[in-house]
Amino acid sequence: MALRGVRVVELAGLAPAPFCGMVLADFGAEVVRVDRLGSAGDRSFLARGKRSLALDLKRSGGAAALRRLCARADVLLEPFRCGVMEKLQLGPETLLQDNPKLIYTRLSGFGQSGIFSKVAGHDINYLALSGILSKIGRSGENPCPPLNLLADFGGGGLMCTLGILLALFERTRSGQGQVIDANMVEGTAYLSSFVWKTQPVGMWEQPRGQNLLDGGAPFYTTYKTADGEFMAVGAIEPQFYELLLKGLGLESEELPTQMSIADWPEMKKKFADVFAKKTKAEWCRIFDGTDACVTPVLTFEEALQHQHNRERASFITNEEQHTSPRPAPQLSRTPAVPSARRDPSVGEHTVEVLREYGFSQEEIRQLHSDRIVESYKLTANL
């Protein structure tokens, strides 16, 4: 796989960092998750392909052990608030002195500087501070976050993954590691560059929920069907809009022009009335295979069974019969081969990992004796 041989030490955290680590593991990196002693493990359920080492970083012996791990690692991924690693004597200056090739990755909500750098937050807070939350929501309603996908996983985990790959690539030329300040506010703002850069041309001059791409246009929104399901419409281009009208049984000559913003509310009502007369399956029979840009809004269960997704094997199932999306994108020569095994238990690979990173059997025994590490192995029920 593309990241074969890349060693990653991931300090356990929530959502964005585990996702970043899982992406790296899916594409071949050797990811060790450092869990707190006695913790419940990855509550984000994003531990696929990782191994778990249970280590007490608050004790000097635990911090020293992590330093030894990082001395042999390519990437450290830490998800703590600004200043936490420095308090543990594990800041960038210390670890890069031990290993100048280390990619020291800091994934936080607000970044490593600024007045909010040491305060708590979640996806919705980072989304709010980036400015983009003000643009998301229905007309006349409060701003509404798109689940916790945009800041946590788009601007956070995925942008952090990009930063790591960029630093790894640069290291092939310089031979040097560096510090990555990945944060969800700036990552989300960068992700929304299109919205920022189209402000001057008037794409967002209407109130929230009344613009071309935020649900204001009758040809870019969702509609309820006769059976209580929904269809998604994205017929922006004139030729696609004509196909939409044809499928709905409407004549363009009898309607206002497509881009008559003042008429959009009435056109939405007219379209809604038409969509409400047929079921989702009936609309699929009308629009499937056309360029009208009309698709069914699928549930998770329906997405698994949809012919297109089945043909591409877009979803995978692990040994516990849990289903999730296949890693993307697809690489032709070195595709991701995600692990089908269950997620690791906390401390399941403690001894194995310590041995690989150069700890002697006596050192491992002492770490256990001092309760700096924990080991846990599943036993078979006989």
Side-chain angles (χ1 to χ4, degrees), residues 69-372:
L69 294 176
C70 290
R72 294 194 176 198
D74 296 289
V75 178
L76 170 69
L77 175 56
E78 70 95 348
F80 304 138
R81 288 194 218 179
C82 177
V84 170
M85 290 294 280
E86 283 77 3
K87 287 181 181 178
L88 297 172
Q89 304 298 311
L90 294 169
E93 289 186 7
T94 300
L95 298 190
L96 283 168
Q97 186 174 27
D98 294 342
N99 178 6
K101 293 185 176 182
L102 181 68
I103 310 299
Y104 192 114
T105 312
R106 320 196 77 164
L107 176 52
S108 63
F110 299 106
Q112 299 301 309
S113 60
I115 60 172
F116 278 17
S117 62
K118 295 185 179 181
V119 303
H122 283 293
D123 176 279
I124 192 170
N125 307 116
Y126 314 135
L127 204 58
L129 209 64
S130 76
I132 197 63
L133 182 57
S134 69
K135 301 293 185 183
I136 304 173
R138 290 293 184 182
S139 176
E141 297 181 7
N142 294 352
C144 182
L147 306 182
N148 68 324
L149 291 174
L150 196 48
D152 274 358
F153 299 107
L158 204 54
M159 283 294 184
C160 185
T161 305
L162 173 62
I164 290 171
L165 298 180
L166 291 171
L168 285 171
F169 177 70
E170 191 280 336
R171 195 179 69 174
T172 64
R173 294 180 295 192
S174 69
Q176 297 295 306
Q178 57 184 304
V179 180
I180 298 173
D181 180 357
N183 69 85
M184 285 166 260
V185 174
E186 292 172 349
T188 304
Y190 188 36
L191 203 63
S192 64
S193 294
F194 168 76
V195 181
W196 284 86
K197 286 180 169 291
T198 51
Q199 290 259 109
V201 297
M203 276 197 68
W204 312 98
E205 62 185 7
Q206 302 298 320
R208 180 177 55 252
Q210 297 178 31
N211 297 279
L212 178 67
L213 299 176
D214 62 3
F219 48 84
Y220 201 88
T221 188
T222 58
Y223 291 99
K224 197 171 186 177
T225 59
D227 54 348
E229 299 291 329
F230 296 90
M231 298 296 289
V233 176
I236 299 174
E237 293 80 359
Q239 66 272 28
F240 301 155
Y241 182 68
E242 284 299 321
L243 293 174
L244 167 64
L245 297 183
K246 179 181 178 182
L248 294 176
L250 299 173
E251 297 292 337
S252 59
E253 294 79 9
E254 300 173 2
L255 297 171
T257 60
Q258 180 184 0
M259 293 298 175
S260 177
I261 296 177
D263 293 304
W264 281 358
E266 282 304 313
M267 291 170 69
K268 286 178 75 173
K269 291 179 182 178
K270 182 180 287 290
F271 286 9
D273 289 342
V274 176
F275 271 106
K277 292 176 181 177
K278 289 183 172 64
T279 65
K280 182 165 76 173
E282 290 173 324
W283 285 120
C284 285
R285 285 194 287 272
I286 291 172
F287 286 112
D288 279 2
T290 74
D291 281 344
C293 301
V294 179
T295 50
V297 176
L298 302 179
T299 64
F300 277 17
E301 293 75 16
E302 290 171 329
L304 293 176
Q305 300 304 321
H306 193 277
Q307 181 181 349
H308 178 80
N309 295 334
R310 289 171 66 91
E311 287 176 357
R312 290 185 53 81
S314 299
F315 297 89
I316 56 176
T317 303
N318 68 8
E319 64 181 19
E320 295 181 311
Q321 299 305 302
H322 297 156
T323 303
S324 59
R326 185 187 62 192
Q330 293 189 50
L331 304 183
S332 63
R333 288 191 301 102
T334 56
V337 183
S339 172
R341 297 192 61 198
R342 58 168 178 77
D343 289 353
S345 301
V346 171
E348 182 174 349
H349 307 96
T350 295
V351 174
E352 173 185 315
V353 169
L354 290 174
R355 283 175 180 163
E356 284 184 19
Y357 278 77
F359 288 76
S360 69
Q361 191 61 39
E362 176 57 29
E363 288 175 317
I364 296 172
R365 189 200 65 76
Q366 190 62 52
L367 288 170
H368 274 106
S369 177
D370 294 340
R371 301 198 177 190
I372 290 171

Side-chain angles (χ1 to χ4, degrees), residues 1-50:
M1 290 187 279
L3 298 179
R4 183 183 62 181
V6 174
R7 284 182 159 188
V8 179
V9 174
E10 172 196 324
L11 304 188
L14 293 176
F19 177 66
C20 174
M22 187 186 76
V23 172
L24 297 174
D26 282 343
F27 284 89
E30 302 169 13
V31 181
V32 173
R33 187 187 72 209
V34 178
D35 287 302
R36 290 182 292 274
L37 270 59
S39 68
D42 183 3
R43 289 181 288 165
S44 303
F45 300 98
L46 296 169
R48 182 171 62 211
K50 303 176 187 178

